[in-house]
Amino acid sequence: MAQTGTIFFGPVIHSLSASELEIVPFALVAVDAEGKIAAFLDPTNFTQQVQETLEELNFPPETTTIHRLSPGQFLLPGFVDTHNHAPQWAQRGLGQGMHILDWLDAITFPNEARFGDADYARRVYASCVDGFLRQGVTAAAYYGSVHGEATKILAELCVEKGQRALVGKCNMTRNAPDYYRDASVDESLRVTEECISHIRSLDQDLVRPVLTPRFAISCDADLLRGLGDIAHKNPDLAIQTHFNEAEQEMAATRALFPQFGGSEADLYAAYGLLGPRSILAHCCHMSEHELERVAALQCGVAHCPTSNMTVGGGFMAAPVREFLRRGMKVGLGTDSGGGFSSSMLDAMRHAMIASHAREAAAPADKGLAIEEVFYLATLGGARVCGLEDKVGNFVVGKEFDALVVGTRGREQGIMTMVEEEEDSLRTVFDKFVMTGDDRNILRVYVQGRLVKGEA
């Protein structure tokens, strides 16, 4: 007999907006056979309402799986990593403290060049996707290497393992070693279009292609123009690049594109690469002009506090409070391996640290609160990646990308102990966000499919 659906009973915590965290101590979440949320109830008359809901949904008991969360457990939406370099999975933690261009030359380009070997790419990418799923990253925006075959392998592994993803072949035609760059503009564009076609042919709706010019330094004008043409012809295609990351990078960009007066916003816009589909990583150094342009064009910002504080050249704290004040789309990225940690929990903590450091220098920019960084890691990230209609919270009609978190007994791990008679659900949530890790993430679901843990 075919499975009709799945019911979850227990505490649920999710974001409704950047400032509104909804905490439901005991809820029912119904997931249909296609992995969509069919009902979300906070029942007052539990027995009657649950029975009526199951009858309305046509979820007969004999074909419905029921999960009752144990004491200390709760449901969260899956984490969305808005900026990630999949080829850098095996180099995390290397070159910390280096300036960005030096780090690329000494550490990153030699490492990424190895992905010309398809077997090596398959081995590392399999570990990468598994590693992020274990940590509750149900959706990720991945930069691949310059290699078309390796990029296709990454997309296939995401589909196979059940991770939602944006996957893009990295475009680079200059300012990189001869052994690691595209042979020509024509080849870069041809392989990009092949990767787009391949990902779209995989007959699934979890993984999407994304245009990925690494940054303006590595792309000449003809390449940027060609990518802009592809973007124009494909109105559903996301675009990701690095933007105003570090002073060394910005100075090099000004020297290469003097006609834009130092504005990366004007540069990318001129080539048709800025708009609501754009994911701009970092945005650490933003003039008023850049802020106005990025906001007006409705671009998304991938805030990567871990890497911004350890690789690039100095302690860089992006103006996230200002982004939120202007209503801009903002999410969190691990930026691993520039970021030494692949944990979105660490990204949340580091976002708080960076924001409070910024407040010390600019008191009007108040530091971020826990509910705000959690929003950035879930619903905010979904908005940046163009997925807010599908995931990010538990609104009825969205797809069930979720984590079951455990906090008591053997499930506690090393997070702050829970005082069972004293701690509110909000207190337990705060303890998890600030001190928990992947050991507390017991089960992970993507589109209703269990991708970590036991059923």
Side-chain angles (χ1 to χ4, degrees):
M1 187 174 293
Q3 178 75 17
T4 301
T6 306
I7 301 293
F8 293 85
F9 293 119
V12 174
I13 303 171
H14 65 160
S15 294
L16 301 180
S17 70
S19 59
E20 188 176 2
L21 183 71
E22 183 172 57
I23 299 177
V24 183
F26 197 75
L28 174 150
V29 180
V31 182
D32 67 21
E34 296 181 348
K36 292 186 177 181
I37 300 169
F40 182 109
L41 293 181
D42 179 9
T44 51
N45 184 335
F46 196 82
T47 302
Q48 179 181 341
Q49 286 182 269
V50 169
Q51 185 62 38
E52 291 174 352
T53 298
L54 295 182
E55 289 175 0
E56 289 174 7
L57 294 173
N58 192 24
F59 276 25
E62 62 271 18
T63 59
T64 300
T65 300
I66 296 177
H67 292 290
R68 291 180 174 86
L69 302 189
S70 301
Q73 296 179 355
F74 49 85
L75 274 179
L76 297 179
F79 298 140
V80 181
D81 187 343
T82 62
H83 181 66
N84 191 303
H85 292 268
Q88 295 175 19
W89 177 254
Q91 72 171 71
R92 288 168 299 146
L94 301 181
Q96 300 295 287
M98 297 179 71
H99 283 261
I100 186 67
L101 300 185
D102 304 321
W103 174 79
L104 288 170
D105 287 338
I107 305 293
T108 299
F109 290 158
N111 175 74
E112 291 191 9
R114 300 182 67 184
F115 286 78
D117 180 338
D119 290 337
Y120 179 78
R122 185 172 286 104
R123 178 166 64 85
V124 175
Y125 284 157
S127 175
C128 172
V129 175
D130 285 341
F132 279 107
L133 286 173
R134 281 197 301 271
Q135 296 176 94
V137 176
T138 55
Y142 284 126
Y143 285 56
S145 65
V146 301
H147 311 100
E149 185 62 27
T151 302
K152 295 173 186 177
I153 289 169
L154 174 58
E156 291 165 1
L157 285 166
C158 289
V159 173
E160 175 189 322
K161 294 176 181 295
Q163 187 182 45
R164 196 179 300 273
L166 302 177
V167 174
K169 172 236 178 308
C170 199
N171 298 106
M172 299 167 56
T173 51
R174 63 173 174 175
N175 290 319
D178 289 342
Y179 64 80
Y180 187 59
R181 63 181 174 190
D182 295 312
S184 66
V185 169
D186 287 344
E187 182 194 72
S188 185
L189 296 174
R190 176 183 60 79
V191 176
T192 295
E193 293 196 288
E194 286 177 357
C195 288
I196 292 169
S197 296
H198 180 77
I199 293 170
R200 287 175 171 167
S201 74
L202 294 177
D203 191 27
Q204 47 76 45
D205 59 0
L206 282 181
V207 181
R208 301 176 181 177
V210 53
L211 290 178
T212 309
R214 188 178 206 116
F215 54 5
I217 295 171
S218 67
C219 301
D220 57 34
D222 287 342
L223 178 57
L224 292 174
R225 190 174 297 111
L227 292 171
D229 289 343
I230 294 174
H232 179 71
K233 295 172 186 174
N234 295 267
D236 62 331
L237 197 59
I239 305 155
Q240 60 183 356
T241 193
H242 297 79
F243 191 95
N244 287 8
E245 178 178 3
E247 291 180 355
Q248 188 186 38
E249 169 262 322
M250 294 167 66
T253 303
R254 284 194 299 271
L256 290 168
F257 294 92
Q259 67 270 37
F260 297 108
S263 170
E264 293 193 15
D266 291 346
L267 188 165
Y268 288 113
Y271 295 108
L273 295 169
L274 280 198
R277 297 176 280 149
S278 303
I279 304 170
L280 305 181
H282 304 297
C283 299
C284 295
H285 304 281
M286 301 290 284
S287 67
E288 179 60 28
H289 174 72
E290 300 282 66
L291 285 166
E292 289 178 355
R293 287 284 275 156
V294 170
L297 291 166
Q298 301 177 50
C299 306
V301 175
H303 175 43
C304 306
T306 306
S307 63
N308 293 159
M309 295 188 289
T310 54
V311 169
F315 185 105
M316 299 176 292
V320 178
R321 175 62 64 198
E322 184 62 26
F323 298 153
L324 293 174
R325 187 180 295 125
R326 292 174 185 245
M328 295 165 62
K329 296 181 292 188
V330 192
L332 286 182
T334 62
D335 192 23
S336 46
F340 60 84
S341 172
S342 57
S343 165
M344 286 294 287
L345 288 167
D346 278 348
M348 285 186 253
R349 297 159 192 162
H350 295 157
M352 291 183 68
I353 292 168
S355 71
H356 286 283
R358 189 174 183 91
E359 181 183 354
D365 288 345
K366 295 300 180 185
L368 298 171
I370 287 179
E371 55 265 33
E372 291 175 309
V373 296
F374 178 72
Y375 163 82
L376 297 179
T378 55
L379 183 58
R383 292 187 65 215
V384 168
C385 292
L387 296 170
E388 70 272 23
D389 61 331
K390 288 183 174 290
V391 298
N393 57 16
F394 296 120
V395 170
V396 172
K398 290 191 178 185
E399 296 175 8
F400 189 72
D401 288 14
L403 319 178
V404 176
V405 174
T407 63
R408 294 187 190 178
R410 287 182 296 179
E411 298 172 356
Q412 177 184 312
I414 60 167
M415 70 170 274
T416 306
M417 65 180 294
V418 173
E419 302 282 2
E420 296 180 15
E421 301 300 322
E422 301 172 20
D423 288 347
S424 66
L425 182 54
R426 172 58 197 257
T427 297
V428 177
F429 169 76
D430 287 358
K431 287 181 175 181
F432 166 69
V433 170
M434 296 308 298
T435 68
D437 61 21
D438 57 287
R439 286 169 289 189
N440 302 106
I441 299 172
L442 309 178
R443 298 197 296 276
V444 177
Y445 296 86
V446 178
Q447 205 176 51
R449 169 188 171 187
L450 184 67
V451 294
K452 172 191 174 176
E454 297 180 0

